[in-house]
Amino acid sequence: MKMKHLFVATTALSLSALPVLAEPQAEVLHWWTSGGEAKSVAVLQEEFAERGGTWTDMPVAGGGGDAAMTALRARVLSGNAPTAVQLKGPAIQEWYEEGVLADISSVAEAQGWADVLPAQLAEHMKCDGTWCAAPVNVHRVNWIWANKDILDQNGIEMPTTWEEFNAAAEKLQAAGVTPLAHGGQAWQDATIFETVVLGKGADFYQSALVDLDPEALGSDTMVEVFDEMRTLRGYVDDNFSGRDWNLATAMVMNGEAAFQIMGDWAKGEFLAAGKTPGEDFLCGATPGDGYLYNVDSFAMFDVGGDDDKVAGQELLAELIVGPSFQETFNLNKGSIPVRSDVSLDAFDICAQTSAEDMAADAEAGSLLPSYAHGMALRGEPAGAITDVVTAHFNSDMSSQDAVQMLTEAVANAM
Ligand code: BGC
């Protein structure tokens, strides 16, 4: 159903005048600046303009969104919040508690979001029972991407256990190939870490990174996780420090490295470069059962009743969850539609696998929020974990010391 986004300006002076139609406006803060990301967000910009909206772009480069979130805090503190902000997971509720988010329930109800969004994912969009964010997609985080030619030339299959991954990496290293393309930024270290935790079982992931159970955090299993992180560190090239994630993806694309462990926004890069899954590159879930989800969403910030901005927010929310945008955007972005009623016929094998696995994992209780992408935890404990993960990855810290630091850091952050 089409939502109205025409509003009547009702200032005291204009009450007796003819209705004035609001002109939707939006200043949109996001961190979609890589090739595939920019192509995806352009779809929203175009649809917004087609419906008469004026879009002011506020891109803040930096994978994972850390820099964008710093920019957001500065804007809100100075009393000048952007109209719409790419915001995810518990950060939505944290901002809601600050009293700065707009209620978009009228759009959600008119469009029947409750009927088309999976219940577990819809919960992330709610604040005290109202709708406070509009979901864009479902990204799966636990993926391995591979250069198909390199694997073929070296007689390697897509690994299905970490032992197989390590064996493949050793073989590649012996052949002079960099096994793992990685960008040494804290959020990328965290991305790998959470997939290794998941490899120890969905229950372990849930206890350690969602429930923050001290026993799981301090366990021998967690020591093994850090052991594997140390092993993986040995498979990256010397220049990994500070590298952006999309440059790591380009290494796999260009045959400079065999694998990347990254969410399926990496697929957006392969696709934007004209590469085909199954022919040029391969996707495979990281070892172990379970699906780590990362749902991009937009929250609308309070604009003090400015009619044009409110109209912009309502139009954006309507477009974002609309079926046409969900299809076109996600075809570019590498993710899948969050709406359960959008056909996946136009999507590639990686997206179809993602949707099938998501359904199966939801059934099995192993559909889990990504901690590294801000879906599982509030800022403080998530930051405390990432600090330890990255400190370990970038030093010769022992696994035992890392586990000790982890339990202490999480206890202090609670
Ligand atoms: C976001 C993706 C984005 C990626 C890299 C993730 O946290 O959910 O939309 O493409 O970071 O910037």
Side-chain angles (χ1 to χ4, degrees), residues 105-298:
S105 301
S106 60
V107 182
E109 276 151 25
Q111 279 195 307
W113 290 4
D115 300 330
V116 293
L117 301 178
Q120 185 177 347
L121 305 185
E123 267 321 295
H124 289 284
M125 312 297 142
K126 304 252 186 81
C127 297
D128 278 343
T130 65
W131 292 87
C132 49
V136 175
N137 60 4
V138 184
H139 269 305
R140 182 185 203 168
V141 179
N142 54 316
W143 281 118
I144 303 177
W145 306 95
N147 179 303
K148 185 170 184 308
D149 280 349
I150 294 186
L151 296 204
D152 289 350
Q153 281 157 15
N154 290 279
I156 291 171
E157 301 273 317
M158 200 63 168
T160 57
T161 63
W162 285 110
E163 291 71 28
E164 280 176 23
F165 185 92
N166 297 346
E170 304 288 339
K171 194 169 180 188
L172 289 161
Q173 233 164 13
V177 178
T178 298
L180 185 58
H182 180 60
Q185 296 173 344
W187 73 272
Q188 296 187 60
D189 301 339
T191 300
I192 296 190
F193 172 76
E194 71 175 7
T195 68
V196 179
V197 172
L198 182 68
K200 300 290 177 194
D203 289 346
F204 181 69
Y205 181 96
Q206 171 77 33
S207 307
L209 297 183
V210 183
D211 301 339
L212 300 179
D213 172 5
E215 234 173 82
L217 290 167
S219 63
D220 290 345
T221 308
M222 193 57 89
V223 172
E224 289 167 19
V225 168
F226 281 103
D227 287 347
E228 178 62 21
M229 289 300 285
R230 178 64 67 237
T231 303
L232 293 173
R233 169 70 180 78
Y235 300 147
V236 309
D237 67 316
D238 289 343
N239 299 321
F240 79 105
S241 215
R243 175 188 289 138
D244 287 329
W245 66 272
N246 51 319
L247 300 182
T249 310
M251 288 172 68
V252 176
M253 225 184 276
N254 301 334
E256 292 159 38
F259 299 112
Q260 183 184 21
I261 297 165
M262 188 48 66
D264 42 23
W265 45 94
K267 194 187 73 187
E269 296 303 297
F270 285 107
L271 299 180
K275 306 288 181 194
T276 308
E279 286 175 25
D280 304 309
F281 68 96
L282 304 173
C283 56
T286 56
D289 293 332
Y291 185 112
L292 296 183
Y293 67 83
N294 170 23
V295 176
D296 283 311
S297 49
F298 279 87

Side-chain angles (χ1 to χ4, degrees), residues 29-33 37 60-73 85-88 185 187 245 265 294 296 372-373:
L29 192 165
H30 61 89
W31 66 89
W32 287 331
T33 56
E37 291 175 332
V60 180
D66 294 339
M69 293 301 100
T70 306
L72 172 64
R73 266 187 293 279
V85 176
Q86 185 186 352
L87 203 62
K88 292 189 294 185
Q185 296 173 344
W187 73 272
W245 66 272
W265 45 94
N294 170 23
D296 283 311
H373 291 275

